[in-house]
């Protein structure tokens, strides 16, 4: 899967993609991440990509022209399945949306800044608008990193243990059950006997019951969906 991420602060995106799972996914050739500096498409030699809002008001608006030219260059090279705009007024991200995106081949992620992009960009170029939660970030970059990370980890072959993404919280509509590892007794804090019993089917049943109980207590809204 290929990601083209358009940003006016590309440095913010260096780190999230250069570690552990996401780094390995790129090394394995399963994911291709390209970060683009929107300022390369600025309208003048001062690097201008934003301007005052028509009608007045505080805050700058990202201009349509640099974005249009950047998108045209990308689209001349290949077809894109989605142009995703990161914005706090987008659809709130959840595992279902992540799963759907993970089936795509080429996606563009556009990071907003300041007061956001000229509305015509949203109307004419953007296919999906995503928020990572009901709070406002300084820009879309951290949101883009969250979105890409969540997608990448479920692409087949990215995780060594194939079943591990399938047993994540949310994947079956439930929160994940508790997990334990050695030692079985640490300063009197013990592990549930069932997990040491070696009885596979019983352990699966226990995990399922724990997942349901945890979901009922912490996120009852998930059980009603
Ligand atoms: N840009 C600013 N805030 C955001 C949010 N909550 N989600 C996605 N992009 C954003």
């Amino acid at each position: 899967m290929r990601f083209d991420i358009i940003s006016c602060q590309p440095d913010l995106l260096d780190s999230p993609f250069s570690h552990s799972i996401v780094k390995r996914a790129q090394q394995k050739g399963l994911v291709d991440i390209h970060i683009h500096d929107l300022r390369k498409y600025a309208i003048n030699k001062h690097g201008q990509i934003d301007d005052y809002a028509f009608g007045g008001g505080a805050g700058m608006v990202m201009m349509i022209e640099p974005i249009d030219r950047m998108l045209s260059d990308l689209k001349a090279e290949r077809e894109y399945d989605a142009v995703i705009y990161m914005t706090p007024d987008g659809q709130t991200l959840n595992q279902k949306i992540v799963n759907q995106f993970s089936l795509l081949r080429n996606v563009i992620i556009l990071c907003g800044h300041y007061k956001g992009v000229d509305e015509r960009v949203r109307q004419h170029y953007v296919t999906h608008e995503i928020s990572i939660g009901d709070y406002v970030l300084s820009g879309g970059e951290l949101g883009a990193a969250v979105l890409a990370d969540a997608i990448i980890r479920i692409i087949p072959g990215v995780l060594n243990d194939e079943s591990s993404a399938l047993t994540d919280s949310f994947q079956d509509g439930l929160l994940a059950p508790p997990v334990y590892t050695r030692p079985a007794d640490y300063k009197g804090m013990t592990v549930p006997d069932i997990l040491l019993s070696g009885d596979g089917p019983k352990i699966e049943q226990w995990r399922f019951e724990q997942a349901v109980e945890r979901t009922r207590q912490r996120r009852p809204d998930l059980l009603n969906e």
Side-chain angles (χ1 to χ4, degrees), residues 85-91 110-114 130-144:
Y85 175 50
M86 302 308 301
T87 176
D89 61 358
Q91 192 180 11
L110 175 62
C111 304
H113 255 268
Y114 321 112
I130 296 293
S131 163
I132 62 160
D134 290 343
Y135 40 80
V136 179
L137 302 165
S138 314
E141 284 77 8
L142 296 179

Side-chain angles (χ1 to χ4, degrees), residues 2-216:
R2 177 180 170 117
F3 293 86
D4 288 276
I5 306 181
I6 304 175
S7 163
C8 49
Q9 279 194 291
D11 295 355
L12 278 176
L13 291 164
D14 284 346
S15 177
F17 301 123
S18 47
H19 300 280
S20 80
I21 292 173
V22 176
K23 181 181 178 186
R24 267 207 320 275
Q26 292 174 88
Q27 287 167 344
K28 283 187 190 169
L30 296 168
V31 209
D32 212 1
I33 301 171
H34 299 263
I35 315 282
H36 304 277
D37 185 355
L38 187 59
R39 276 186 212 284
K40 294 214 175 100
Y41 291 81
I43 58 157
N44 56 30
K45 61 178 188 319
H46 308 296
Q48 187 179 357
I49 50 164
D50 60 348
D51 210 335
Y52 295 103
F54 279 131
M60 304 294 274
V61 177
M62 287 169 70
M63 303 170 92
I64 190 169
E65 185 181 335
I67 296 172
D68 174 47
R69 289 200 281 120
M70 168 94 252
L71 291 176
S72 297
D73 273 7
L74 289 173
K75 289 176 178 176
E77 295 293 322
R78 67 196 64 76
E79 277 193 18
Y80 285 91
D81 305 307
V83 178
I84 305 167
Y85 175 50
M86 302 308 301
T87 176
D89 61 358
Q91 192 180 11
T92 309
L93 189 63
N94 59 32
Q95 192 65 48
K96 200 186 266 178
I97 300 173
V98 169
N99 292 351
Q100 284 163 358
F101 281 139
S102 76
L103 302 174
L104 304 181
R105 264 172 315 123
N106 300 322
V107 303
I108 292 172
I109 306 180
L110 175 62
C111 304
H113 255 268
Y114 321 112
K115 279 283 159 198
V117 296
D118 187 307
E119 187 66 17
R120 290 167 291 183
V121 171
R122 302 173 71 159
Q123 287 169 342
H124 298 284
Y125 305 114
V126 167
T127 61
H128 300 75
E129 302 195 328
I130 296 293
S131 163
I132 62 160
D134 290 343
Y135 40 80
V136 179
L137 302 165
S138 314
E141 284 77 8
L142 296 179
V146 167
L147 173 62
D149 183 286
I151 293 172
I152 289 166
R153 67 190 303 288
I154 59 167
I155 292 173
V158 167
L159 293 184
N160 291 329
D161 178 1
E162 278 288 341
S163 68
S164 133
L166 296 174
T167 56
D168 283 346
S169 276
F170 304 111
Q171 252 337 338
D172 55 4
L174 297 173
L175 301 183
V179 291
Y180 299 84
T181 188
R182 290 188 296 176
D185 185 338
Y186 184 70
K187 296 183 179 175
M189 294 179 276
T190 53
V191 169
D193 288 339
I194 178 89
L195 294 177
L196 311 174
S197 69
D199 185 337
K202 272 222 177 97
I203 291 172
E204 274 317 295
Q205 179 63 22
W206 179 87
R207 286 192 170 136
F208 175 70
E209 286 163 11
Q210 291 288 316
V212 171
E213 183 53 21
R214 187 160 272 201
T215 309
R216 195 185 61 73

